[in-house]
Every structure is written in C-alpha cells, then in structure tokens.
Amino acid sequence: MYGTMPWKILFKTKEKYLTNRNQFIKNFFEFLHDKDYVVLKYIEDDISSIRELSDIDLAVSKQSAELIEKFIGGSENVLNFKVYTSSFMKMVYIIFKDNSFLEVDLINSFIRKDICYLDTSEMITNYHINHNQLKVPSNEYSFLYIFLFHLLNKTNNCYFLISKLIKQ
C-alpha cells in the first residue's frame, strides 16, 4: 500500500542504523581505558544507551586528543570524519558506513571569555571509575563543570543534570 512502511522493515532499519554507532562507542571506550580522559555530563545507565542525537563530551589531554583522532580515522565502520579545532577543544563529527552520526567533543581547556574556569589536568587526575568502567570526574568536578557550563551558557538544564549526578 502506498505511503506505509511495514514496522518490521522500519525496526530492522533502525536496528541497523544504530549498529555502527553503538559498536564504535563500545570500541572507543575500550581504546580510552589507559588514556588521560574523563567523560563529562555522563548520566546514562549504560554506555550503549547514549541517545542517538547525544554527543560525547570528554576532557582530555592534548596528547590523548591526538591519539583519539588517529583511532577514529582507523575505525572500521567510520565512513568519514571531520575535525574542527579551536584553541580549547576539538569537535569531531563522525559519519558511519550505515549513515549514523556521532559528535565527540575533546576539551583540553575550560576557557570562557579568556578566563580559565576549571583546570583540565586536575579534573583528569581527579576521577573515579563508574559502573560502566568509564573515567568520570570526581563529584566535585562534575558539579562544578555542569554548574559553570550552564551558568556561563545561560541554559536551563543545570538542575536536571545535577539531580541525575546526585542519584549516581
């Protein structure tokens, strides 16, 4: 019938759509285990449940950022990627072979209006391993990052993210 798509086909397409991205995320965090990084604003129950349109924000050393860029370029399911560099971060836009997408932000310094508001190296060294075996900032740094990020960017998500952090 014109204009309808069987749910079975739609489900398989959606399932396939998520496969390359999810596999990359799994491999990506396995690669990162011995690198200098922390995952910012991580409130998911499971790494595989990162929403389709969500990006991954990492505080990283400049050396780790270079290694991450090489890893992304050599990943088997990556069709193409583009890196946009600023003085304080790299934004990596990844297109997978199944046309799914992921943005990874590699933040090497926390600067707003020429003021460094958090020390990246301190944040990276003051981490704990969460329930998914990921390095996340200490609760103090998580709170500071979320609070200052939303305060400086004048957003309304601060309360929600902090409440999720407190429940962890």
Side-chain angles (χ1 to χ4, degrees):
M1 177 182 237
Y2 180 76
T4 62
M5 177 182 262
W7 286 107
K8 194 176 199 181
I9 293 171
L10 181 63
F11 181 74
K12 283 186 179 180
T13 303
K14 185 167 178 67
E15 199 173 77
K16 182 181 177 196
Y17 176 79
L18 295 175
T19 302
N20 286 173
R21 184 177 187 272
N22 283 348
Q23 185 61 47
F24 173 84
I25 290 170
K26 178 181 174 290
N27 293 342
F28 181 61
F29 281 107
E30 287 174 5
F31 165 78
L32 286 176
H33 85 277
D34 63 346
K35 309 298 182 282
D36 293 328
Y37 83 96
V38 290
V39 183
L40 302 171
K41 299 186 298 185
Y42 181 75
I43 57 171
E44 308 294 341
D45 292 329
D46 186 355
I47 194 65
S48 64
S49 66
I50 293 176
R51 291 171 280 152
E52 285 179 48
L53 299 177
S54 292
D55 63 351
I56 296 174
D57 295 336
L58 302 175
V60 297
S61 66
K62 287 187 178 186
Q63 296 80 9
S64 290
E66 303 272 328
L67 295 171
I68 289 168
E69 200 173 323
K70 288 178 184 173
F71 172 81
I72 292 169
S75 294
E76 77 175 274
N77 290 326
V78 172
L79 177 65
N80 196 4
F81 73 101
K82 179 79 176 159
V83 179
Y84 296 93
T85 304
S86 74
S87 60
F88 63 94
M89 72 181 294
K90 290 183 178 193
M91 294 175 289
V92 185
Y93 297 101
I94 307 167
I95 306 287
F96 297 98
K97 291 179 180 175
D98 61 2
N99 291 318
S100 55
F101 172 81
L102 178 64
E103 178 184 345
V104 178
D105 293 337
L106 307 172
I107 303 167
N108 58 55
S109 58
F110 297 96
I111 298 174
R112 175 75 179 206
K113 299 189 184 216
D114 295 326
I115 297 172
C116 180
Y117 62 93
L118 286 173
D119 185 327
T120 309
S121 60
E122 282 290 315
M123 181 184 278
I124 292 171
T125 57
N126 288 293
Y127 69 88
H128 67 271
I129 304 292
N130 75 358
H131 60 282
N132 285 310
Q133 303 305 305
L134 304 178
K135 294 179 186 177
V136 294
S138 67
N139 289 339
E140 295 82 6
Y141 273 106
S142 288
F143 175 84
L144 280 173
Y145 173 73
I146 292 168
F147 179 75
L148 292 171
F149 176 87
H150 291 286
L151 179 71
L152 296 170
N153 290 304
K154 299 178 182 172
T155 67
N156 294 322
N157 294 330
C158 188
Y159 175 76
F160 169 75
L161 290 169
I162 291 173
S163 68
K164 290 287 275 186
L165 173 67
I166 290 170
K167 291 179 184 176
Q168 287 185 351

